Amino acid sequence: MTDTTLDTDGWLTLPFQPAVKPGVRTALTLACAPSWLAEGKAQILDHHALIAINRRIAKLRTSGAMEVVTTLETLYRKHTALCPYDAKANRIQLPARVVAALGPAPCTLQVSKEDGHLTLRKSPADEG
């Protein structure tokens, strides 16, 4: 887990380089379900994560696990935001509702590579 800073404009400098789709270097997907935001959590889905999620959903759909498919689609398709990404500075601009949930900005966030995704969490010091 690595600490990084969310600035007052909502830009988050990433400590890890995300995989971006060739030709699309200006945006990243952010999974930010309301239940996750209430916990102080969000996930940045890079190109590889999106491929893995789509494959998992397709595989589960063919196996008949529709309850799990519905949950995954809700988390990773319905509650997402396309966020501006500055590849040169390796930073992403978070939506205002995410900044409000994880903030107040400026603040420190913890970033980890859980399950291959970049997971953002409020720092324990900021929660108290």
Side-chain angles (χ1 to χ4, degrees), residues 69-112:
V69 169
T70 303
T71 301
L72 289 175
E73 285 181 336
T74 300
L75 291 174
Y76 293 111
R77 291 187 179 159
K78 182 178 177 187
H79 295 296
T80 59
L82 198 58
C83 300
Y85 174 65
D86 180 359
K88 289 183 181 178
N90 194 32
R91 62 188 194 145
I92 184 173
Q93 186 174 27
L94 302 180
R97 65 187 172 98
V98 176
V99 172
L102 299 176
C107 66
T108 302
L109 298 178
Q110 294 179 333
V111 181
S112 66

Side-chain angles (χ1 to χ4, degrees), residues 3 9 11 14 23-24 26 29 38 40 52 57 78 80 87-88 90-91 93-95 106 117 122 127:
D3 289 343
D9 296 326
W11 284 94
L14 300 173
V24 182
T26 59
T29 303
I57 289 171
K78 182 178 177 187
T80 59
K88 289 183 181 178
N90 194 32
R91 62 188 194 145
Q93 186 174 27
L94 302 180
H117 311 305
K122 273 185 169 181
E127 290 177 357

Side-chain angles (χ1 to χ4, degrees), residues 10-58:
W11 284 94
L12 178 72
T13 303
L14 300 173
F16 307 109
Q17 187 71 37
V20 291
K21 185 175 180 179
V24 182
R25 301 186 187 276
T26 59
L28 286 173
T29 303
L30 182 75
C32 46
S35 61
W36 287 2
L37 291 177
E39 297 172 10
K41 173 184 169 182
Q43 285 185 338
I44 297 171
L45 306 175
D46 64 5
H47 183 60
H48 296 162
L50 289 172
I51 290 171
I53 289 166
N54 288 333
R55 285 182 180 163
R56 187 178 312 142
I57 289 171

